[in-house]
Amino acid sequence: MEKHLWILIGLLTASLTAQEAADADFAVLKAPENWRTELITFPLSFAPDLDLRGIEDIRFAPGWADKSAEDFWNYAFVWYLNDNPKLTEEKLENYMEAYFDGLMQVVGKSKEIEKTTSLFFGKVDDPLQPDFIGKIRVYDAFFVKDVITLYIKVRIFFCAKTQKHMVFFRVAPKSFGDEVWKNLNEVSVGINCKK
């Protein structure tokens, strides 16, 4: 079952360019070895309205696809972008809604699903904290076949060394104080961005 799920996810995503595929060491994120990796190029086939160019690098926790696991639906991803996305709270909410609605429509085979709603709590001005935190109510077409709430932390920054903009997301269905966030916080950007 899990093998078929990963094949389905792979089919939903666009392949990397030939140059990126040839670079077997390409990765933006660093995660524990037992986390599954996936790379997708923009524009995303399931969310073409996201006006972004670059790569999405994803890390899935070992229990991401297991409803009984502590780390069910835990994952992290970074948008490694050519241009500044100039994200505001409102734009981030719109992007998340388009992203998850598109993904769930494809997974759910376009049957009628409840629309995603997202709520971000504004920009956080503490350099040790994420830039945005929020919650997303999304229809889980993968596993639960019902609406779930996902908690999300977002960090936005520019990598001077590679001249790329990054939007780094950590996602879990458990609130920010839960133990699962310790493991999520182990996922980090593996590129040294200092010149």
Side-chain angles (χ1 to χ4, degrees), residues 45-173:
S45 61
F46 59 86
D49 291 343
L50 272 62
D51 54 344
L52 304 170
R53 296 292 175 264
I55 293 172
E56 179 180 34
D57 188 0
I58 310 168
R59 297 294 182 275
F60 297 94
W64 181 79
D66 179 358
K67 289 188 279 189
S68 66
E70 277 296 306
D71 55 0
F72 173 61
W73 252 105
N74 290 8
Y75 75 115
F77 60 100
V78 65
W79 293 345
Y80 187 67
L81 305 172
N82 299 336
D83 302 305
N84 186 348
K86 299 177 182 168
L87 290 178
T88 62
E89 182 178 343
E90 181 180 4
K91 193 171 183 182
L92 185 58
E93 288 173 354
N94 291 336
Y95 275 4
M96 289 293 90
E97 290 168 8
Y99 180 93
F100 282 102
D101 281 347
L103 180 61
M104 296 310 165
Q105 281 289 333
V106 173
V107 173
K109 300 192 179 9
S110 299
K111 68 179 180 183
E112 193 64 33
I113 62 168
E114 188 170 328
K115 290 281 200 188
T116 301
T117 56
S118 57
L119 174 64
F120 283 88
F121 306 121
K123 190 149 175 59
V124 180
D125 289 325
D126 180 344
L128 300 177
Q129 298 297 321
D131 294 312
F132 293 92
I133 59 171
K135 292 193 285 190
I136 300 172
R137 288 188 75 249
V138 61
Y139 183 86
D140 175 9
F142 286 104
F143 314 111
V144 177
K145 312 296 187 209
D146 201 354
V147 174
I148 62 172
T149 298
L150 298 174
Y151 293 81
I152 187 165
K153 294 180 180 181
V154 184
R155 171 71 79 191
I156 303 163
F157 55 96
F158 178 70
C159 185
K161 186 173 186 177
T162 63
Q163 296 293 295
K164 300 286 187 178
H165 296 267
M166 294 193 217
V167 186
F168 181 24
F169 301 83
R170 290 183 177 106
V171 181

